[in-house]
Amino acid sequence: MQIHKTDVVIIGAGPVGLFAVFECGMLKLQCHVVDTLDAVGGQCVALYPEKPIYDIPAYPQIMAAELIEKLQAQAAPFSPTYHLNQRVDRLQPLADAAGWQVVTSNGTQIEARAVIIAAGAGAFGPNRPPLDGIEGYEVASGGNPAPVQYFVKQREAFRGKRLVIAGGGDSAVDWALSLAPIAAQVSLVHRRPKFRAAPESVRQLEELCASGKIDLVVPYQLAGLEGDGQRLSAVVVEDLDGGRRSLPADHLLPFFGLSMELGPIADWGLGLTRHHVAVEAVTGRTNLPAVFAVGDIAHYEGKLKLILTGFAEAAAAAHAIHPLVYPDTPLHFEYSTSRGVPVS
Ligand SMILES: Cc1cc2nc3c(=O)[nH]c(=O)nc-3n(C[C@H](O)[C@H](O)[C@H](O)COP(=O)(O)OP(=O)(O)OC[C@H]3O[C@@H](n4cnc5c(N)ncnc54)[C@H](O)[C@@H]3O)c2cc1C
């Protein structure tokens, strides 16, 4: 597998990670950026894309998703390489203190002189239902797709399959609607009779239930999995009185939203204070050489967890990294108005 080499690897493509690309770019530091999500934007895109933000300087009001679009456009002239849909699992030092290698959950390897951790509250991941043995069913085996999946990557993979979809929000309802025409059978499990989805989607759902294309299993919740530990044969559900039903199934698709967890970052030997990385104020220097932390994940006395704070931290970290990449080139402080930006 190819080993990517770059000046700086940025862990997290939230607003602060994106602005770190710009600040590094202004100092001629090339960046690779990794995120667990399949899109850039961190909390702004995953949690509140359509909420207005009021405390971004010079924007009296800006939608979170629009802020991310602008940050990505601002970073674009510096041609960052994004590695999305993968989590940084390992951080290991290169020989002779030459920098760091990060290894992601997809096996991507990136070597860099410095690392900026802009990981917010940690990696986003699906909320998994607490079912015995579920891990065994989350893995694809024998050329077959994994029986339990939290994101639909390929709709066609479910053609002719018996599906149990769980959840009460837009994702569960939208996927039930989308997969019903191609699946052999769709059961939609929710612990309440009402769904928190767009009214038009709920109307379509009622129509498909009435015509027998979707089996509505309410109010029930997931209680267990039946199968050989790798291949699923049924999903067990339970009502509020403990009454159980077994729904024959090839796949379970739970849509219970996203959670954030620090995950592997906790094992990298960084000084942690209550799930945050302790850093030198402003520069973001951690206890590991050439490893910096900025944005929500970074903690020092007086820290304000705001996007604008993270922006300033990103600028300071980039300046602190410059001498590591260009030890023989003194850095003369310059305004962007003097330096200019490349034309993208
Ligand atoms: C509802 C809501 C409203 C808010 N309103 C405001 C506001 O008005 N003003 C304001 O300033 N702030 C606001 N915030 C807070 C703001 O969103 C955060 O301060 C900001 O998102 C922090 O940016 P970040 O880049 O540090 O981290 P995040 O946005 O959390 O992004 C971190 C990224 O790192 C990724 N990541 C973590 N670990 C790994 C790993 N190991 N491998 C790969 N990727 C990883 C995550 O998947 C995530 O995408 C709000 C937050 C919420 C939830």
Side-chain angles (χ1 to χ4, degrees), residues 11-17 34-37 41-44 47-48 51 53-55 86-88 118-124 264-265 294-296 305-308:
I11 302 172
V16 178
V34 189
D35 204 294
T36 45
L37 293 174
Q43 293 176 47
C44 294
L47 301 182
Y48 61 107
K51 267 183 184 255
I53 306 178
Y54 300 99
D55 55 358
Q86 47 200 305
R87 185 176 79 168
V88 174
F124 280 100
I265 294 174
V294 296
D296 273 15
K305 271 201 201 177
L306 287 173
I307 295 169
L308 65 87

Side-chain angles (χ1 to χ4, degrees), residues 54-78:
Y54 300 99
D55 55 358
I56 301 299
Y59 285 99
Q61 174 184 324
I62 184 166
M63 293 297 180
E66 194 191 345
L67 173 68
I68 295 304
E69 276 169 30
K70 289 186 185 298
L71 286 167
Q72 203 177 359
Q74 197 170 17
F78 302 104

Side-chain angles (χ1 to χ4, degrees), residues 137-150:
Y137 295 104
E138 289 170 351
V139 187
S141 67
N144 298 314
V148 174
Q149 297 187 29
Y150 300 97

Side-chain angles (χ1 to χ4, degrees), residues 10-18 20 35 116-121 292-297:
I10 299 174
I11 302 172
V16 178
L18 291 176
D35 204 294
I116 296 181
I117 303 174
F292 296 75
V294 296
D296 273 15
I297 197 156

Side-chain angles (χ1 to χ4, degrees), residues 8 28 38 94 96 103 110 114 128 130 189 193 198 205 213 257 276 278 282 302 304 324 328:
V8 184
K28 299 199 170 11
D38 59 5
L94 295 173
D96 303 323
V103 183
I110 311 165
R128 305 155 93 204
V189 180
L205 178 67
K213 294 237 166 59
H276 292 84
V282 187
L304 283 180
L324 302 175
D328 303 323

